[in-house]
Amino acid sequence: MEIRRDVFQAIADPTRRQIIEMVARQPLNVNTIAENFEVSRQAVSLHVKILTECGLIVIKKQGRERYCEARLEQLKEVTTWVDHCQQFWATQFKSLDSYLQKVQSGKKSHK
């Protein structure tokens, strides 16, 4: 049974977020990516695998090297979710603000 990973799993880990930022600037091979972390190359390879499974990175072969390239279109799912949450909470806070103003003005008129 194959595990389906999603973009939210990918960005949940700070190391993976850093890897995404690095390969978004330019394609890099796993060795170059691993040099920037204090974990083993194998650990970085696992992070790259997860990012590949989520569709945030594709691996392209150039000669004997394998380069990681960013595919940031998948982050649209995160952006959509964040936008929805922002709209929801903006509405909730506006409603709370209106209620609190009404309560405050009611207290002033009873004095």
Side-chain angles (χ1 to χ4, degrees):
M1 183 168 95
E2 185 177 317
I3 297 174
R4 166 72 174 111
R5 299 186 192 272
D6 67 18
V7 170
F8 295 94
Q9 285 177 297
I11 64 171
D13 185 274
T15 300
R16 288 193 288 270
R17 289 193 302 267
Q18 283 182 277
I19 292 171
I20 292 167
E21 289 176 21
M22 291 171 63
V23 299
R25 285 186 223 114
Q26 70 182 45
L28 298 170
N29 65 27
V30 176
N31 288 331
T32 303
I33 294 169
E35 290 171 0
N36 291 278
F37 298 96
E38 292 186 13
V39 296
S40 68
R41 185 191 180 287
Q42 185 178 3
V44 170
S45 290
L46 180 59
H47 286 299
V48 167
K49 180 182 179 202
I50 292 168
L51 292 169
T52 303
E53 290 172 358
C54 297
L56 289 170
I57 286 181
V58 294
I59 307 291
K60 294 199 173 177
K61 283 191 171 190
Q62 292 182 356
R64 291 178 26 187
E65 292 290 332
R66 294 170 14 135
Y67 285 87
C68 302
E69 289 185 9
R71 292 289 183 253
L72 303 180
E73 303 84 23
Q74 294 291 77
L75 290 176
K76 182 150 179 60
E77 183 179 350
V78 176
T79 303
T80 301
W81 180 77
V82 168
D83 289 345
H84 171 74
C85 289
Q86 285 178 323
Q87 290 172 356
F88 172 80
W89 285 109
T91 301
Q92 297 302 313
F93 287 128
K94 187 175 181 179
S95 177
L96 177 61
D97 188 48
S98 296
Y99 172 76
L100 292 174
Q101 287 180 10
K102 189 185 296 184
V103 169
Q104 284 296 94
S105 65
K107 284 182 181 179
K108 289 178 183 175
S109 65
H110 289 319
K111 286 186 176 184

